Amino acid sequence: MTASYVVTGGGRGVGRAIVERLAGADDVVAIVERDPGALSWIDDHPAAGRLLPVIGDASDEAVAARAAGEAAAVAPLRGWVNNAAIFRDAWLHEAPAREVLGLVGLNLDPVVVGCAAAIKHFLGVGERGPTDDGGAIVNVSSHQAQRAVRGAFAYATAKAAIEGVTRALAVDYGPFRVRVNAVALGSIATERSDAYVAALGGEERERFDREIRLLQPLGRMGMPGEVADVVAFLLSEQAAFVNGATIPVDGGRSAVGRDPEEA
């Protein structure tokens, strides 16, 4: 076993794909999940002995510290992926401002807590003092950080903040050989999206497919494994000079401009 990683929200969808990609043939991955049922697949997985379930809230500092400790106890901790997210929102004119700020925190807090746990470990705070080993963090953002969707104020705000966190920490901790990057996802096919599409009627399904073709120039939704490949690259030595970047993984969604005359 050559290295270990921590992935938050690693039980389903994109998170699970990242876990499976990082585990590879030799490495260890600690998976932070609130729902034990989301990790029921681990026991039958070929890498079961190298997948460490950590049940708890990713925004809880004690849970994050436990994940770092359990991973590092098996192999040197080299990377951390902040993937955990919650899709809840509210209109600012309807909900109290403090409630909306709480919703922003649901997606921002786990990232700040995860980054803190990872950086403390990479720097050896409270253990052995700073080292030259460094490490890498990848934060999972969204196309909404730059182009908000109506009705998703709290989510879009949190994702924009996550990209700001990514840049600021890259500047603060780059001198310690800690790299911090982000991936900004477009529409990715997961169990959640598959269930949504399956529930659509024929005409609604056609409209959904057409909108995806218009929004993402590659003409389709992305696959979780495609996200996992980019995350694995950013954590690897191949990306040793990539720091403070947000990489779109969106099929060109962030590049396209809808032409009003097209219709």
Side-chain angles (χ1 to χ4, degrees), residues 142-150 156 250 252-257:
S142 164
H143 64 93
Q144 290 202 49
Q146 301 298 322
R147 292 172 175 80
V149 172
R150 290 192 73 239
D250 63 3
R253 186 170 187 156
S254 57
V256 71

Side-chain angles (χ1 to χ4, degrees), residues 31-55:
I31 311 167
V32 180
E33 263 291 350
R34 296 180 65 173
D35 176 15
L39 300 177
S40 60
W41 53 272
I42 287 181
D43 289 341
D44 297 324
H45 196 277
R50 293 180 285 107
L51 302 179
L52 311 177
V54 179
I55 305 303

Side-chain angles (χ1 to χ4, degrees), residues 207-228:
R207 183 161 54 248
F208 178 86
D209 290 342
R210 179 173 61 82
E211 283 299 310
I212 289 295
R213 288 195 298 271
L214 291 172
L215 285 169
Q216 301 190 163
L218 286 182
R220 62 175 177 85
M221 296 179 74
M223 301 304 295
E226 293 172 321
V227 178

Side-chain angles (χ1 to χ4, degrees), residues 75-158:
L77 182 64
R78 298 298 185 214
W80 189 292
V81 182
N82 286 307
N83 170 71
I86 297 176
F87 298 93
R88 287 179 53 199
D89 233 298
W91 292 90
L92 193 57
H93 71 283
E94 294 178 344
R98 285 294 166 191
E99 179 181 323
V100 176
L101 286 169
L103 294 176
V104 173
L106 287 178
N107 285 296
L108 178 59
D109 293 356
V111 172
V112 175
V113 168
C115 286
I119 289 167
K120 286 176 183 177
H121 188 87
F122 295 150
L123 270 58
V125 174
E127 299 172 10
R128 60 189 182 279
T131 73
D132 292 330
D133 295 340
I137 298 170
V138 176
N139 297 321
V140 177
S141 182
S142 164
H143 64 93
Q144 290 202 49
Q146 301 298 322
R147 292 172 175 80
V149 172
R150 290 192 73 239
F153 169 80
Y155 184 78
T157 299

Side-chain angles (χ1 to χ4, degrees), residues 175-197:
F176 298 97
R177 295 187 61 193
V178 175
R179 297 183 300 105
V180 188
N181 293 293
V183 289
L185 309 187
S187 293
I188 308 297
T190 63
E191 297 97 324
R192 182 172 175 269
S193 66
D194 289 347
Y196 170 79
V197 172

